[in-house]
Amino acid sequence: MSNIDAASARTDSVDHKRNDDFHFRERSMLNAVLIVVACTASIIIGNGSLTMMSISLPIIAADLNIPQARLQWLVSAYSLSAGCFLLLLGRVADLYGRKRVFLSGIAWL
């Protein structure tokens, strides 16, 4: 057996093993559409909550007597806390399951 045949045999066995390790389940069209709708809805909800924060800034400033120059801190704190919770809940999703944590977050929001 030549070196080329031996290398080819090793590559074939590795490719065969690699293909056997990954089994993908075919998704129905309805399942795929529902996944896209859920992802789109989560993006809209996330952006909507930040927009609601920005729209309510004048009311917050008037009620709490916050000067106009300090209102940016509210938006920055909101974004910072969202980013920190994203890291924390990413780990929680690794431990308890992505679907369960995603649905819990949507229900809580």
Side-chain angles (χ1 to χ4, degrees):
M1 182 182 273
S2 69
N3 288 338
I4 295 173
D5 293 335
S8 175
R10 272 187 270 137
T11 305
D12 290 341
S13 66
V14 170
D15 287 340
H16 181 68
K17 183 176 189 242
R18 189 176 303 148
N19 289 335
D20 286 342
D21 289 343
F22 299 106
H23 297 286
F24 294 106
R25 186 175 58 121
E26 290 291 324
R27 297 192 187 277
S28 68
M29 183 60 105
L30 177 64
N31 197 357
V33 168
L34 289 176
I35 289 171
V36 170
V37 167
C39 291
T40 304
S42 68
I43 290 171
I44 289 171
I45 289 171
N47 288 336
S49 63
L50 186 59
T51 302
M52 287 185 285
M53 173 70 162
S54 298
I55 290 172
S56 63
L57 282 177
I59 297 168
I60 293 171
D63 287 348
L64 300 176
N65 295 326
I66 298 174
Q68 200 72 13
R70 295 190 181 223
L71 286 178
Q72 181 60 39
W73 283 101
L74 292 172
V75 177
S76 298
Y78 185 85
S79 298
L80 181 64
S81 64
C84 291
F85 278 120
L86 184 65
L87 292 173
L88 175 70
L89 293 175
R91 178 62 180 149
V92 171
D94 288 342
L95 295 173
Y96 297 108
R98 286 176 261 156
K99 183 177 179 180
R100 181 181 292 167
V101 172
F102 176 75
L103 293 176
S104 300
I106 293 296
W108 179 69
L109 188 60

